[in-house]
Amino acid sequence: MIAQARRIAWLPLVAVVAACGPIPVDQAERVCLRDADLAQGPRGSIAMGVGSGQGGTRGYGGIELEISGDYLRGRDPAEVFSRCVQRRSGQMPERALADQPGWRGAS
């Protein structure tokens, strides 16, 4: 009974370690597009509005800003993309960043 409980206790750890393994190159390329996009420049959004209800009329708003450390360091988005794919998959990208579907960079 105790031996079985010990084996079950290891299952979450085994699942976490298995999740740390490499992913397929095409999946890594899709995931790493975001890193390359953020290396190109900050992204953000602003939301403003007015709502009314029982308590009267109220204004609301919000600002969201996302800045990458790669952008602050002036790294090339293509280099950031290649390093990310290699780190996640263990292989070099199959296509350059400029040839990736969905890439909207200036390159």
Side-chain angles (χ1 to χ4, degrees):
M1 183 78 159
I2 293 175
Q4 183 180 7
R6 285 184 183 165
R7 275 185 264 146
I8 291 173
W10 281 96
L11 286 178
L13 180 61
V14 171
V16 168
V17 171
C20 294
I23 61 175
V25 175
D26 61 326
Q27 185 179 352
E29 289 175 342
R30 286 191 304 272
V31 170
C32 293
L33 274 176
R34 177 149 176 82
D35 287 358
D37 191 40
L38 287 172
Q40 187 172 278
R43 300 288 175 255
S45 63
I46 298 173
M48 295 187 300
V50 176
S52 63
Q54 197 171 20
T57 304
R58 294 180 49 177
Y60 65 89
I63 297 175
E64 184 176 312
L65 182 62
E66 192 172 4
I67 300 176
S68 162
D70 293 319
Y71 170 74
L72 294 174
R73 291 179 187 92
R75 292 190 175 135
D76 177 26
E79 180 185 330
V80 169
F81 174 77
S82 292
R83 283 188 294 135
C84 176
V85 171
Q86 190 171 19
R87 184 178 66 249
R88 290 178 179 264
S89 71
Q91 300 176 35
M92 293 300 292
E94 293 176 352
R95 290 180 284 185
L97 176 60
D99 298 333
Q100 292 293 323
W103 174 246
R104 20 167 230 217
S107 304

